[in-house]
Amino acid sequence: MLGELIPCGGGDPIPLLKTRLLIGRRSRCDITLSFTNVSSHHCELELVDGFWSVRDLGSRNGVKVNGVRCKTKWLMPGDVVSVAKHRYELIYTPIGDAPPPEEEDPFAIPLLVKAGLMRPQLDETETSSRSSGKAGQAVQASDDDAGLFDWPMEDEDGETNHRHPSSR
């Protein structure tokens, strides 16, 4: 046995018998959770280099680790994994000192955001605390953004100056 998922509300432990486990509502899943709020193929647990990781497979109600929603996350012994609203404590003995480093997704940040032409998407708590504009909207250059832009521009005399685009 490679570990166990212990239901936080009581119930029988779920043994982790393979290094890759599909969790979902379908009977074909390795771990079947017969609840209406669990997606057919909800998430996947995988043992890599002696550490478990969880990956959300695009489920409607998501996956949380210790109360924080995530797409992919390395799991430590004692972490609480929530599949939809169903919570399980992960018990296992890791092999090694630390999990492999998180892989950075090169497509996680849109190019327009990287270029400073669009504001990054904000989560619900950040969106409600902001008073101006919508998340993901195009940025209008303002005097406050002067430090963000330093583009070379020609003036009327043909001289190249580094100015803010809104000062034209």
Side-chain angles (χ1 to χ4, degrees):
M1 184 168 58
L2 303 170
E4 286 183 307
L5 288 175
I6 311 293
C8 291
D12 295 331
I14 300 169
L16 305 177
L17 301 174
K18 299 184 338 186
T19 58
R20 182 176 285 189
L21 297 161
L22 178 62
I23 299 174
R25 197 176 63 242
R26 294 268 165 100
S27 60
R28 290 177 292 214
C29 293
D30 299 305
I31 298 174
T32 303
L33 301 177
S34 300
F35 302 104
T36 56
N37 62 347
V38 174
S39 297
S40 323
H41 295 143
H42 199 96
C43 63
E44 180 180 68
L45 287 177
E46 185 175 14
L47 186 65
V48 179
D49 295 335
F51 287 85
W52 284 101
S53 70
V54 65
R55 181 170 58 101
D56 189 345
L57 297 175
S59 65
R60 179 175 293 280
N61 292 313
V63 173
K64 291 182 180 178
V65 176
N66 300 324
V68 178
R69 191 167 182 153
C70 59
K71 298 272 187 214
T72 303
K73 178 88 171 126
W74 288 105
L75 302 170
M76 300 305 290
D79 280 352
V80 175
V81 179
S82 300
V83 178
K85 298 280 185 187
H86 309 280
R87 298 173 58 233
Y88 301 89
E89 182 180 1
L90 177 63
I91 305 297
Y92 77 102
T93 303
I95 301 169
D97 295 330
E102 296 284 339
E103 291 182 21
E104 185 177 324
D105 181 3
F107 302 108
I109 301 172
L111 288 175
L112 290 174
V113 172
K114 285 183 180 179
L117 300 174
M118 182 179 276
R119 295 185 195 274
Q121 294 288 336
L122 303 175
D123 67 20
E124 293 173 18
T125 57
E126 291 178 75
T127 304
S128 63
S129 68
R130 290 184 63 103
S131 59
S132 63
K134 287 183 162 181
Q137 73 186 30
V139 175
Q140 179 98 11
S142 70
D143 291 336
D144 295 338
D145 297 326
L148 293 176
F149 302 103
D150 192 21
W151 296 334
M153 305 182 117
E154 279 189 21
D155 61 13
E156 297 82 31
D157 302 329
E159 301 265 337
T160 302
N161 296 316
H162 291 276
R163 311 189 284 185
H164 189 273
S166 66
S167 63
R168 291 210 272 190

